[in-house]
Amino acid sequence: TVSFFPVPTHFLEVTTNEWTSYRNRTFLFPGGVTEPPPDLPPPDTVLVHLDPNARGICLALCGLAMLAALFFLYFTISKRENRIVKASQPEFLILICIGCLLMASTIIPLSMDTQVASERGCDVACQSKFWLIGVGFCLTFTALFSKLWRVNRVMKNAKGFRKVKITALDVIVPGAIILGCNILVLTVWTLMSPMIWEIRTVQYDEFGRPKVQVGSCTAQEGNARAFIGSLLAIDGVAILITLWQAYEARHITTDLSESKYIGLAVVAIFEASFIGVPVIYIVNDQPNAVLFLSTAIIFVSVLAILGFLFGPKYKAYWKKEGLSPSEPHGNYQPGANARRNDS
């Protein structure tokens, strides 16, 4: 049987706050030696940064998406008096381009860490990415909703042989309310519990000291889920009402009917998110994988919206096809009086 008992060697002088030997006894360290062992070597902690090549690829994709949005923005503004562009309501096309531009620019703060920015800069990037993606996405789909709602109102009045003039301001209010709610949630979030850059330890050595660390965005109060959930609910409403208006407009038979293309764009966004978001959650401790997957989702979403909505218009413009003259109700002009001709 092995037993142990304490042997006092030193006591602390309360008045001087110094240790004094008790009966000239010597403190023995493990191994029976009187000399203290050397300190542990400093921890070999590795802070994982984003790979420069991965950052470069993602920023290149960001640049391509932004160039595509700027190109179609220029096309819409410069050709706004063209029959094809004018019939597609250029004021809403401009808003869609701006929304896509904001969405694409989200990749810039996503690609930032302490290797290329200060900790304060990373704090700003953490919160700004939610502003860019939230406002951009909501602006895009509320513009689509207002655009389709305007067409549907004109067509419904035309069926009743009623003359009506509907301007952009007449249909912008619902979209503006949804966008305002989005901005309100983001503002409250930024003021109450903004996201900050935090270094997390993901692996420890045999002495329990940090071995591998990664930087990530973390909510100060831990209630980011409530704000993110609110933003997802608001953006979900924007998507649903847009799809509803697209469904209502499915019988408007023009060469440039957008109902099908809006549906295809939403399907592409859903598929990219359905595959990418769960994988991002799984590889949360791998910054390069998170950056690449997030960039891929944003890139696919932006190009899907721009490609399906502007591609047919751009193609028709260069082929000089215009809208089908054989279908009177397809020759819609924004703000004009709606008329229905029997055939």
Side-chain angles (χ1 to χ4, degrees):
T1 301
V2 179
S3 61
F4 298 90
F5 60 92
V7 176
T9 61
H10 292 74
F11 63 92
L12 180 65
E13 290 282 359
V14 179
T15 56
T16 61
N17 199 30
E18 294 181 355
W19 289 96
T20 303
S21 175
Y22 178 71
R23 295 183 180 179
N24 295 322
R25 291 175 179 173
T26 303
F27 184 84
L28 297 179
F29 293 93
V33 298
T34 58
E35 293 294 327
D39 293 334
L40 290 173
D44 187 17
T45 305
V46 176
L47 179 59
V48 179
H49 290 291
L50 292 172
D51 183 79
N53 294 326
R55 180 186 287 111
I57 293 173
C58 292
L59 289 177
L61 294 176
C62 170
L64 288 176
M66 294 179 71
L67 283 175
L70 290 172
F71 172 78
F72 287 117
L73 178 62
Y74 170 77
F75 169 75
T76 302
I77 295 175
S78 61
K79 308 298 181 183
R80 62 185 306 155
E81 295 301 325
N82 179 269
R83 184 162 164 256
I84 296 173
V85 178
K86 192 172 184 179
S88 299
Q89 307 178 76
E91 58 269 30
F92 293 117
L93 294 180
I94 291 173
L95 292 178
I96 293 170
C97 289
I98 295 174
C100 289
L101 189 63
L102 292 174
M103 290 173 60
S105 63
T106 308
I107 300 173
I108 297 175
L110 281 172
S111 64
M112 295 177 63
D113 62 7
T114 51
Q115 190 177 30
V116 296
S118 65
E119 187 171 338
R120 174 57 183 165
C122 291
D123 289 342
V124 175
C126 283
Q127 193 64 32
S128 64
K129 64 185 181 183
F130 291 99
W131 276 90
L132 293 172
I133 192 68
V135 174
F137 189 88
C138 192
L139 179 62
T140 299
F141 276 90
T142 52
L144 279 173
F145 161 74
S146 300
K147 184 176 185 295
L148 290 169
W149 190 32
R150 187 182 187 184
V151 174
N152 288 334
R153 288 181 63 180
V154 170
M155 293 300 109
K156 287 181 180 179
N157 282 279
K159 290 180 180 180
F161 301 95
R162 293 190 299 269
K163 185 182 295 186
V164 63
K165 184 175 182 179
I166 301 175
T167 65
L169 292 177
D170 295 329
V171 294
I172 201 68
V173 174
I177 293 175
I178 295 176
L179 182 61
C181 292
N182 196 299
I183 294 175
L184 178 61
V185 172
L186 287 167
T187 302
V188 173
W189 185 7
T190 303
L191 295 176
M192 291 183 57
S193 179
M195 302 290 286
I196 59 173
W197 183 261
E198 188 176 77
I199 303 298
R200 297 183 296 110
T201 301
V202 297
Q203 187 176 346
Y204 295 87
D205 62 14
E206 62 269 25
F207 302 106
R209 299 176 302 176
K211 183 177 181 180
V212 179
Q213 294 180 323
V214 296
S216 62
C217 297
T218 307
Q220 291 185 10
E221 303 297 334
N223 54 1
R225 292 182 179 179
F227 292 107
I228 294 176
S230 300
L231 292 175
L232 290 176
I234 294 171
D235 291 339
V237 170
I239 293 177
L240 289 176
I241 62 175
T242 301
L243 291 177
W244 171 56
Q245 288 297 324
Y247 179 79
E248 291 287 318
R250 69 191 184 281
H251 296 308
I252 299 177
T253 55
T254 66
D255 292 341
L256 300 178
S257 177
E258 296 173 327
S259 299
K260 176 179 71 175
Y261 300 115
I262 292 174
L264 291 174
V266 172
V267 169
I269 294 172
F270 178 78
E271 288 182 348
S273 302
F274 183 77
I275 297 173
V277 172
V279 178
I280 290 176
Y281 181 79
I282 294 173
V283 299
N284 188 43
D285 293 336
Q286 302 179 33
N288 292 314
V290 172
L291 172 62
F292 184 78
L293 288 170
S294 301
T295 299
I297 293 174
I298 295 172
F299 183 76
V300 169
S301 299
V302 170
L303 289 194
I305 294 170
L306 294 175
F308 284 121
L309 292 179
F310 288 88
K313 299 176 180 58
Y314 188 72
K315 180 180 178 181
Y317 170 78
W318 283 107
K319 287 188 175 182
K320 301 186 183 301
E321 292 177 348
L323 296 172
S324 175
S326 62
E327 300 174 5
H329 57 283
N331 193 16
Y332 163 70
Q333 296 292 339
N337 292 337
R339 297 180 177 84
R340 172 92 172 185
N341 296 327
D342 294 333
S343 56

